């Protein structure tokens, strides 16, 4: 397939490009102007990379008309719940308007691709204990501006399907982790600090936020495999949760990473790392997606954490 990936140089985007190339797709990678394409270095000769801004409506229309994609994976956007509190207007504007421009470009081009709309488990927000695990019918109670932007993107996908028959398949991925994830996310932050301590670039104190929250973690390489299956087998207009269907406390994640550390590390709570609205537990019910596609996660949590720590060891070195 001719596949267009927005946000291709990012964490999940770069892994998705690798997966699509491996399955034989022709991949067009859209990257934000001025953004590093380091994550695509090993595969850049096999990609067509285009730099620009989806907030530029005319540029977006030209690119879509030029590529004529059969599948569109829309991963571009601001992705940090914590950072969205500092710039709520920027988060909402970027994530919503960019998607509208992309959808309009597809309609104006007269093409009929499958469009994967990436939502987030953050859309569910403050879920009650009796609502666990979270299925697609769980009420949406977004607790941060990023989550609100993802609800909007999610429902834009539904609206364009209902109004324009755009073949939008919506997914709500739960936490995905692994090599190349940016700082600002818990596993990347822990791994970076441990690698820095090992290299003697940081005192032997690892600063943490709330260790009691529980999250559903999936390796990013399993997650992007799920995205490709969603495009291949997902029903347009439908929405699917994607996750491991297991929850792990952040303290458990930290313990595994500390067990992989080559030096002794002290742990200290940092008040600046505590969110003003933190959701205690998120655990996925992905049965709808698994029935539709046959997907199952393959990579064990400890292997993901080991690979992430090794990635940051190389970066620090």
């Amino acid at each position: 397939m001719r596949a267009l990936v927005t946000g291709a140089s990012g964490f999940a985007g770069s892994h998705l490009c690798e997966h699509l190339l491996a399955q034989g797709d022709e991949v067009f990678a859209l990257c934000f102007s001025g953004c590093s394409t380091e994550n695509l270095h090993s595969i850049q000769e096999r990609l067509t990379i285009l730099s620009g801004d989806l907030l530029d409506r005319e540029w977006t229309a030209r690119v879509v008309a030029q590529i004529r994609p059969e599948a569109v994976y829309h991963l571009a956007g601001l992705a940090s719940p914590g950072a969205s509190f500092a710039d709520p207007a920027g988060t909402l504007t970027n994530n919503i308007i960019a998607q509208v421009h992309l959808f309009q470009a597809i309609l104006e081009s007269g093409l009929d691709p499958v469009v994967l709309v990436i939502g987030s488990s953050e859309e569910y927000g403050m879920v009650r204990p009796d609502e666990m695990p979270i299925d697609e019918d769980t009420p949406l109670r977004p607790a941060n501006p990023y989550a609100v932007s993802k609800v909007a993107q999610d429902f834009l996908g539904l609206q364009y399907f209902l109004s324009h028959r755009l073949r939008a398949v919506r997914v709500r991925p739960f936490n995905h982790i692994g090599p190349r994830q940016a700082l600002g996310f818990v596993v990347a932050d822990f791994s970076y600090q441990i690698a820095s301590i090992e290299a003697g670039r940081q005192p032997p104190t690892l600063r943490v936020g709330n260790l009691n929250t529980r999250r559903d973690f999936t390796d990013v390489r399993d997650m992007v495999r799920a995205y490709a299956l969603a495009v291949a087998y997902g029903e347009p207009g439908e929405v699917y949760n994607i996750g491991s269907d297991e929850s792990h406390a952040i303290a458990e994640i930290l313990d595994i990473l500390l067990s992989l550390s080559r030096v002794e590390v002290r742990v200290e709570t940092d008040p600046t790392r505590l969110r003003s609205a933190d959701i205690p537990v998120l655990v996925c019910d992905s049965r709808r997606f698994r029935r539709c596609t046959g997907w199952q996660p393959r990579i064990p949590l400890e292997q993901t954490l080991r690979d992430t720590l090794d990635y940051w060891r190389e970066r620090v070195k």
Side-chain angles (χ1 to χ4, degrees), residues 125-146:
M126 294 297 182
V127 181
R128 297 193 301 263
D130 63 295
E131 295 173 321
M132 295 293 170
I134 301 166
D135 66 18
E136 293 84 356
D137 296 322
T138 302
L140 306 182
R141 306 183 188 98
N144 56 70
Y146 165 75

Side-chain angles (χ1 to χ4, degrees), residues 193-195 197-198 206 254-265 309 313:
Q193 289 189 73
I194 291 171
I197 292 168
E198 289 177 344
L206 191 150
L254 178 59
D255 286 344
I256 295 173
L257 285 168
L258 290 175
S259 74
L260 299 172
S261 174
R262 299 164 181 165
V263 296
E264 290 294 321
V265 178
L309 180 54
R313 283 169 173 154

Side-chain angles (χ1 to χ4, degrees), residues 1-274:
M1 299 181 74
R2 292 171 64 84
L4 170 62
V5 179
T6 74
S9 62
F11 167 50
S14 61
H15 285 284
L16 176 61
C17 287
E18 289 179 355
H19 178 73
L20 296 178
L21 288 171
Q23 71 177 21
D25 289 348
E26 182 181 9
V27 181
F28 296 82
L30 261 60
C31 305
F32 183 70
S33 296
C35 185
S36 170
T37 58
E38 179 184 357
N39 287 340
L40 301 173
H41 178 72
S42 65
I43 57 172
Q44 63 185 8
E45 293 183 357
R46 301 161 58 200
L47 294 169
T48 300
I49 298 178
L50 302 105
S51 296
D53 188 350
L54 291 173
L55 295 180
D56 183 334
R57 182 177 176 276
E58 293 183 357
W59 178 84
T60 305
R62 286 197 305 271
V63 165
V64 170
Q66 170 192 339
I67 295 172
R68 303 186 65 80
E70 299 167 285
V72 176
Y73 297 83
H74 182 43
L75 278 69
L78 300 178
S80 171
S84 72
F85 283 106
D87 185 15
T91 300
L92 292 164
T93 299
N94 187 92
N95 290 357
I96 297 170
I97 300 304
Q99 183 166 302
V100 170
H101 287 172
L102 180 63
F103 282 3
Q104 288 298 123
I106 293 168
L107 295 181
E108 292 163 7
S109 70
L111 302 172
D112 187 32
V114 178
V115 182
L116 188 68
V117 177
I118 309 294
S120 169
S121 61
E122 290 279 345
E123 295 178 53
Y124 294 110
M126 294 297 182
V127 181
R128 297 193 301 263
D130 63 295
E131 295 173 321
M132 295 293 170
I134 301 166
D135 66 18
E136 293 84 356
D137 296 322
T138 302
L140 306 182
R141 306 183 188 98
N144 56 70
Y146 165 75
V148 173
S149 77
K150 300 312 284 185
V151 171
Q153 288 186 250
D154 187 332
F155 278 75
L156 276 169
L158 177 59
Q159 182 254 305
Y160 271 74
F161 169 74
L162 295 172
S163 302
H164 305 287
R165 309 314 295 174
L166 183 74
R167 290 196 292 157
V169 177
R170 299 172 291 140
V171 294
R172 294 172 184 159
F174 282 60
N175 296 66
H176 40 293
I177 56 176
R180 302 181 203 150
Q181 189 169 30
L183 296 177
F185 297 89
V186 64
V187 174
D189 282 356
F190 288 172
S191 300
Y192 170 73
Q193 289 189 73
I194 291 171
S196 297
I197 292 168
E198 289 177 344
R201 297 191 175 192
Q202 176 179 322
T205 301
L206 191 150
R207 301 176 70 80
V208 304
N210 184 0
L211 297 178
N212 296 319
T213 56
R214 301 184 66 88
R215 293 292 181 264
D216 187 313
F217 292 102
T218 301
D219 190 289
V220 66
R221 294 159 291 193
D222 280 328
M223 188 62 73
V224 299
R225 185 168 51 82
Y227 292 169
L229 289 170
V231 165
Y233 299 108
E235 180 181 344
E238 188 58 274
V239 63
Y240 302 95
N241 286 347
I242 307 176
S244 71
D245 295 4
E246 298 178 355
S247 73
H248 297 273
I250 303 302
E252 180 183 348
I253 299 297
L254 178 59
D255 286 344
I256 295 173
L257 285 168
L258 290 175
S259 74
L260 299 172
S261 174
R262 299 164 181 165
V263 296
E264 290 294 321
V265 178
R266 293 193 304 271
V267 176
E268 182 177 294
T269 300
D270 179 355
T272 67
R273 294 175 182 266
L274 300 174

